[in-house]
Amino acid sequence: MWIIVGFAQMMALTIGHLNLSVGAIGGLAAVTVGWLFQDFNAPIWITVLTALGVGAACGAFNGILITLTGIHAFIITLGTSSVFLGLNYGLTKAEPFSTVPDAFDLIGRGRIFDVIPFLFPVMIIVAVALWFMYRHTVIGRRILAVGGNEDAAVLSGIDSKKIKILVHTLSGLIAGLAGVLFVGRLGAAHPTIGQNWLLISFAIPVIGGTTLEGGTTSIPGVVFGGILMTLLQTGLVLLEVNIFLEQFFMGILLLIAVSVDRIRAVYSAKRYT
């Protein structure tokens, strides 16, 4: 599931933006699932589609605000993160929704042939869809073009504002999907879902080769970054490292990844000058 969280942040990074509201969007989508199950006994497919719609709507809201105001994505998503988190706690009153159908719970905890988690095919589908979009569609190439050089993209006829709104909508949609999957994994919709995603969401794509400046990304790299983060967390648990030090090691790993990204950017600049 961490890989899907990384994909949500990767979408914003490909155009040189930051989405600080990834966790808040995922959390709002998660409590939407719990709310619909517990208070309305809604069917699974309606619940999932509604939660994904909430995620996409939150992302579109980010994109529209960014394009209309011209304010940096960092500031906009910092503000909307608080807005979405407030809606989360207002909906839940800081208490989890614990009524989740057994069939939905199976999606999060079940395994294929008692080996492969059901969540694994979901991650593969998302990864393949994003890879295909970036490699074989006009939209994907336009996203990378805007991220690489927005002025040049505009001069070539690309509507950068629409691209930005689309990218943030997709970022919100993927974050919403991650929130839905977390509910299935935990067996309940906790209002705290998403609150520890921010650092991890940046670390995974940056480790995988997505640059902070935008214009380039690597879907296999993001998958590798997610696996590395999962192994790190598992290793810390097996070594019985104090749980409060986990954030310390995650932060160190992110700093290393950002430093490598910066060195790579400087080397590339020198290479072509």
Side-chain angles (χ1 to χ4, degrees), residues 62-126:
N62 283 341
I64 291 170
L65 282 181
I66 291 168
T67 56
L68 287 180
T69 64
I71 299 173
H72 197 282
F74 177 91
I75 302 299
I76 293 294
T77 57
L78 179 63
T80 57
S81 176
S82 182
V83 171
F84 302 147
L85 188 60
L87 289 173
N88 180 333
Y89 282 115
L91 189 62
T92 63
K93 297 179 175 60
E95 296 181 0
F97 291 114
S98 56
T99 303
V100 176
D102 292 338
F104 188 80
D105 192 49
L106 180 64
I107 295 174
R109 303 185 186 187
R111 292 178 179 272
I112 302 173
F113 304 119
D114 294 328
V115 177
I116 304 173
F118 284 155
L119 298 178
F120 181 76
V122 178
M123 184 274 292
I124 293 297
I125 291 171
V126 175

Side-chain angles (χ1 to χ4, degrees), residues 4 27 29-30 50 54 60 63 78 98-99 110 121-122 145 148 151 161 168 181 186 189-190 195 200 243 268-269:
I4 296 178
T50 302
V54 167
L78 179 63
S98 56
T99 303
V122 178
D151 291 335
K161 291 184 177 181
H168 280 278
L181 296 179
L186 298 175
H190 292 270
Q195 292 187 18
I200 294 175
I243 190 172
S268 298

Side-chain angles (χ1 to χ4, degrees), residues 138-161:
V138 173
I139 292 296
R141 290 192 288 271
R142 288 181 176 179
I143 291 173
L144 294 175
V146 171
N149 189 323
E150 183 177 352
D151 291 335
V154 171
L155 290 174
S156 66
I158 297 174
D159 189 334
S160 63
K161 291 184 177 181

Side-chain angles (χ1 to χ4, degrees), residues 49-63:
L49 289 179
T50 302
L52 294 179
V54 167
C58 290
F61 182 66
N62 283 341

